[in-house]
Amino acid sequence: MITRRISRIGFIAAAAALSASISLPARAATPDTALVMAWNIDAISTFDPAQIGEVVTSELMQNTCDSLVDFDPKDESKAVPLLAKSWDVSEDRKQITFHLNTGLKFPGGAPATAKELAWSMQRVVLLGYGNAATLTEYGFSKDNVKERITATDDNTLVLSLDNPYPTNLILQAIGANRVSALLDQKTLISKEINGDMGNKYLATNTACVGPYKLVQWNSGESIVLQANEDYYGAKPKLKRVLIRHVAEPGTQRLLLTQGDIDIARDLSPDDLADLDGKPGLKVERVLKPQLFFWTFNAADPIFKNEKVRLAMRYLIDYDGLAKSVMTYLGVPRASFAQLGATGALDTKEGQPFKLDIEKAKALLTEAGYPDGFEANVLIGTLPHSAPIAQSIQQNASKVGVKLNLERMANAQLFARIRGREFQTGMLAWQTGVPDAHGNASRLVYNPDNRPEAKLTQIPAWRSAYQNEDFNKQVKAALLEGDPAKRNELYYALQKDVMQQGPMAIMFQMYNTVGMSGKVKDWTWNGFRVYYDLVSKYDLVSK
């Protein structure tokens, strides 16, 4: 088991300059001008929009680096202006022209223009890290990106597409994605090392236009965001967001009840049930487009057999776990398309499995493993990972399958999975769009299964799984112009993938928090948490 030293970090409420070390006596109330969170942030490895793939870092980036457009806080299916105040779409839907807000500035006051934004988006493709797939799947490449993402003047950005993709999907996938962050080109070029376009610098810094800026990151300890005084939009209501790394749910609960934090992000179902309804505290949740799944390495001699993978699905006690471990945390879901997405199967059809030991045994016998086998399962530090894995481990033993559980820090887990250094592993994946294509393009589609392709932000590639028929179906559904036919294509694909795919999807997750009653206007949807809209008030005076 991985253990960590959890330091007690408090925060100075005075309006003095932020010091390198922030400390406060235990049990102090949180500052009125800061939002203080406890969260397991051990997965953070970079703040480069071209490279990040972790949920924690994505949330931080969304609050430090504005994108071209945003998700409407009240309706995540709608795109609303952000960096771009408006946009025009050509009649053939192959060109989108974005008109940026005036007065854009980087932290520090330097002007920010469409020219830096074009460079920023080109940079994602040219670097070729995992998030390049967000652009390359729509026809952008290293050879054409400089001609197809252009700035015609300081306030106008043009995207030229190779196909008439659904416009709303493009706005969600590219416009509202971290790949459209407006980066400080001058700063990044000055920090360049061996042509990395500032990648090493962004491992520990941010350099973009957004409501907050990163001012401190102590790996494995804390994050400090500070309001950007040069922000073009409405200023954040709170001056700072302070995040403490706390891996243990019990410790988060203690800090919340003591008043040392405002928000606890990783509480267990028991903690949440106990806190729910208590005076001065509240629990809030929203269904998010994150799936928790058990992934299998299809290059492994055992798990390349689709009947083995299917048998594993019948060792999962979906209903039992939903009523125990996953209460407050998620709902059973086996389909790759999350509930709420365009093209998603409904609740019943999207979860056709149940615990069935006899069915699992029969499938293993058909696969040539009547006496079972032995395999490893990698898990991280999410509070539900261990109990889910232990439940499956017990069920697997009934069919002769010995599962060895190996727990590690999330950053290590992600590195192992992305490097294909695993037999099986349990982790979460969150799509960036409320459309079935979002997950189809990552959990199903694999354009290049070669190890050297290193498509680390495509879970299907991580699982060494490529199905050319599935690839064709994903492409066909993406470009289908008739909405009803497009949905039918996705329905059929979901059913096939549940039977043959490289991962057993188990739950769609809630974003759930325990919260102090001092917190006001906590605003979120499945795709965004809006730090800049949060405020606080004094409970005593109220």
Side-chain angles (χ1 to χ4, degrees):
M1 178 172 294
I2 300 295
T3 60
R4 284 186 179 272
R5 173 182 61 83
I6 304 299
S7 58
R8 288 192 57 82
I9 303 173
F11 300 97
I12 301 174
L18 202 62
S19 63
S21 175
I22 302 175
S23 62
L24 197 74
R27 295 180 181 274
T30 61
D32 291 337
T33 59
L35 181 70
V36 185
M37 286 194 281
W39 201 2
N40 184 340
I41 57 173
D42 69 4
I44 297 174
S45 59
T46 182
F47 294 95
D48 191 336
Q51 197 172 13
I52 62 171
E54 302 78 24
V55 171
V56 170
T57 323
S58 293
E59 180 173 308
L60 296 174
M61 292 301 293
Q62 287 170 333
N63 287 282
T64 54
C65 297
D66 280 357
S67 50
L68 267 172
V69 301
D70 199 3
F71 294 105
D72 185 335
K74 297 180 180 180
D75 184 353
E76 62 197 35
S77 68
K78 295 180 180 179
V80 296
L82 198 52
L83 287 173
K85 62 183 179 181
S86 63
W87 51 88
D88 304 316
V89 181
S90 63
E91 189 174 347
D92 64 1
R93 302 206 320 270
K94 295 175 68 175
Q95 181 171 294
I96 306 178
T97 301
F98 294 93
H99 307 285
L100 304 191
N101 283 288
T102 57
L104 299 176
K105 294 180 180 180
F106 296 111
T113 72
K115 294 175 183 177
E116 282 92 3
L117 180 53
W119 177 85
S120 301
M121 296 179 70
Q122 294 165 6
R123 175 184 178 275
V124 173
V125 175
L126 295 173
L127 285 175
Y129 292 120
N131 288 334
T134 303
L135 292 163
T136 58
E137 69 178 311
Y138 298 107
F140 299 101
S141 68
K142 291 182 179 181
D143 293 332
N144 68 27
V145 71
K146 289 185 178 181
E147 288 73 44
R148 294 184 52 200
I149 300 180
T150 59
T152 56
D153 57 45
D154 285 351
N155 294 101
T156 308
L157 181 89
V158 179
L159 299 186
S160 299
L161 308 169
D162 64 337
N163 282 297
Y165 302 105
T167 299
N168 203 49
L169 178 61
I170 293 294
L171 293 176
Q172 295 166 342
I174 296 177
N177 192 283
R178 52 187 170 261
V179 300
S180 68
L182 174 47
L183 302 180
D184 186 343
Q185 180 181 3
K186 184 177 179 181
T187 294
L188 295 185
I189 293 300
S190 72
K191 301 293 185 181
E192 193 171 49
I193 298 175
N194 298 325
D196 72 347
M197 305 178 82
N199 174 254
K200 289 184 176 61
Y201 176 76
L202 290 178
T204 55
N205 298 276
T206 57
C208 52
V209 175
Y212 285 96
K213 58 183 177 180
L214 174 70
V215 294
Q216 183 177 320
W217 174 39
N218 295 329
S219 181
E221 290 188 0
S222 62
I223 289 278
V224 180
L225 305 181
Q226 188 161 291
N228 176 12
E229 296 179 357
D230 298 300
Y231 188 53
Y232 67 98
K235 301 298 187 289
K237 295 179 180 179
L238 297 176
K239 293 182 179 179
R240 286 173 288 171
V241 177
L242 314 171
I243 303 172
R244 298 172 54 173
H245 170 67
V246 182
E248 291 79 11
T251 306
Q252 291 192 19
R253 174 184 173 182
L254 179 62
L255 293 171
L256 181 62
T257 56
Q258 289 181 164
D260 291 332
I261 61 173
D262 301 308
I263 301 285
R265 299 297 297 267
D266 301 296
L267 297 175
S268 71
D270 288 342
D271 292 328
L272 291 163
D274 185 65
L275 295 174
D276 201 358
K278 279 195 171 182
L281 298 171
K282 51 189 174 181
V283 172
E284 294 194 8
R285 69 181 183 180
V286 63
L287 196 62
K288 59 183 176 179
Q290 184 185 76
L291 302 173
F292 186 76
F293 57 85
W294 185 12
T295 186
F296 311 109
N297 191 335
D300 183 88
I302 297 173
F303 293 101
K304 70 179 181 181
N305 190 316
E306 69 179 49
K307 288 187 177 180
V308 170
R309 300 195 301 266
L310 184 58
M312 298 301 99
R313 289 168 165 84
Y314 288 101
L315 297 177
I316 302 166
D317 186 4
Y318 303 90
D319 293 337
L321 290 168
K323 295 174 183 177
S324 55
V325 176
M326 298 305 290
T327 303
Y328 286 99
L329 300 183
V331 295
R333 184 71 177 168
S335 166
F336 68 76
Q338 76 276 11
L339 290 168
T342 299
L345 290 169
D346 63 21
T347 301
K348 182 177 180 181
E349 288 195 298
Q351 198 333 71
F353 300 105
K354 64 179 181 179
L355 176 63
D356 190 333
I357 300 298
E358 293 303 317
K359 179 72 171 179
K361 180 69 173 178
L363 285 166
L364 288 174
T365 300
E366 291 177 28
Y369 297 97
D371 300 318
F373 52 80
E374 183 172 351
N376 295 329
V377 183
L378 306 186
I379 61 174
T381 55
L382 292 172
H384 51 278
S385 294
I388 288 177
Q390 289 162 359
S391 171
I392 295 174
Q393 182 185 49
Q394 293 173 0
N395 293 330
S397 67
K398 299 174 183 178
V399 294
V401 173
K402 181 181 180 182
L403 297 178
N404 303 309
L405 309 185
E406 184 179 355
R407 193 180 186 203
M408 58 193 64
N410 288 334
Q412 184 183 0
L413 171 69
F414 297 158
R416 291 279 298 275
I417 299 294
R418 290 169 184 167
R420 291 182 169 180
E421 299 172 1
F422 72 101
Q423 271 189 294
T424 81
M426 292 186 185
L427 70 166
W429 172 264
Q430 184 164 313
T431 184
V433 294
D435 189 286
H437 177 73
N439 276 335
S441 65
R442 299 296 187 272
L443 304 184
V444 181
Y445 186 76
N446 179 0
D448 188 344
N449 200 41
R450 296 173 303 136
E452 56 268 29
K454 296 187 181 303
L455 303 179
T456 58
Q457 291 303 323
I458 297 182
W461 178 89
R462 298 175 188 173
S463 296
Y465 181 83
Q466 186 179 51
N467 183 312
E468 290 295 352
D469 182 54
F470 286 174
N471 280 355
K472 292 176 182 177
Q473 291 183 56
V474 171
K475 289 181 179 179
L478 171 62
L479 295 175
E480 175 55 58
D482 184 313
K485 290 181 179 179
R486 188 167 182 262
N487 285 345
E488 290 298 329
L489 290 173
Y490 282 126
Y491 296 156
L493 182 60
Q494 288 166 77
K495 293 175 182 178
D496 289 342
V497 171
M498 282 189 285
Q499 298 295 315
Q500 304 173 41
M503 54 200 72
I505 297 169
M506 297 182 281
F507 292 93
Q508 182 173 343
M509 305 299 293
Y510 285 114
N511 206 346
T512 308
V513 299
M515 184 185 305
S516 165
K518 294 176 64 176
V519 177
K520 185 180 179 182
D521 298 324
W522 176 263
T523 305
W524 59 357
N525 56 41
F527 293 86
R528 279 289 311 271
V529 179
Y530 298 81
Y531 296 170
D532 57 316
L533 300 180
V534 179
S535 60
K536 294 169 70 174
Y537 59 84
D538 185 349
L539 280 175
V540 176
S541 66
K542 296 293 180 179

